[in-house]
């Protein structure tokens, strides 16, 4: 994982362990979304913009659980954030 659960909990200001499994799942989902947008198999580990995009995606998914989540909006934001690193093709 590019970001760990402690970093995400600090970013989200979560100070309990009740949702650790949820957060781990959201981290995996966020990283996969970023991989898909970047068109890569693995996220680069030395790119601050990519880390920020993962944090943003985790936060968005955490705050918009269930049917309220607008994945088109999330994907468009990730495309905007990651456009400079995005590959033209897989």
């Amino acid at each position: 994982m590019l970001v760990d659960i402690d970093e995400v909990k600090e970013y989200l200001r979560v100070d309990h362990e009740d949702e650790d499994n949820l957060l781990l799942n959201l981290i995996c989902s966020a990283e996969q979304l970023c991989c898909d947008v970047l068109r890569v198999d693995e996220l680069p580990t030395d790119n601050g913009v990519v880390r920020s995009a993962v944090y943003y995606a985790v936060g968005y998914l955490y705050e918009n659980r269930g049917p309220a989540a607008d994945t088109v909006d999330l994907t468009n934001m990730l495309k905007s954030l990651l456009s400079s690193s995005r590959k033209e093709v897989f």
Side-chain angles (χ1 to χ4, degrees):
M1 281 195 272
L2 181 63
V3 298
D4 65 38
I5 192 164
D6 292 328
E7 293 171 317
V8 167
K9 287 171 81 170
E10 183 177 339
Y11 177 78
L12 296 174
R13 297 187 175 128
V14 172
D15 59 359
H16 52 80
E17 297 176 1
D18 299 345
E19 298 178 311
D20 282 4
N21 286 333
L22 171 65
L23 292 174
L24 287 170
N25 288 330
L26 294 180
I27 292 168
C28 290
S29 296
E31 289 187 357
Q32 185 59 55
L33 281 169
C34 289
C35 280
D36 292 346
V37 167
L38 286 171
R39 299 178 175 147
V40 297
D41 293 325
E42 285 185 29
L43 294 176
T45 58
D46 60 345
N47 189 321
V49 173
V50 174
R51 290 178 70 82
S52 295
V54 171
Y55 288 134
Y56 177 83
V58 170
Y60 186 92
L61 293 169
Y62 182 76
E63 294 295 327
N64 298 285
R65 291 177 243 181
D70 183 353
T71 55
V72 173
D73 185 43
L74 173 58
T75 303
N76 286 335
M77 178 58 82
L78 291 175
K79 285 179 182 176
S80 295
L81 288 170
L82 299 170
S83 63
S84 64
S85 301
R86 189 174 190 204
K87 293 189 178 203
E88 290 188 34
V89 293
F90 276 99

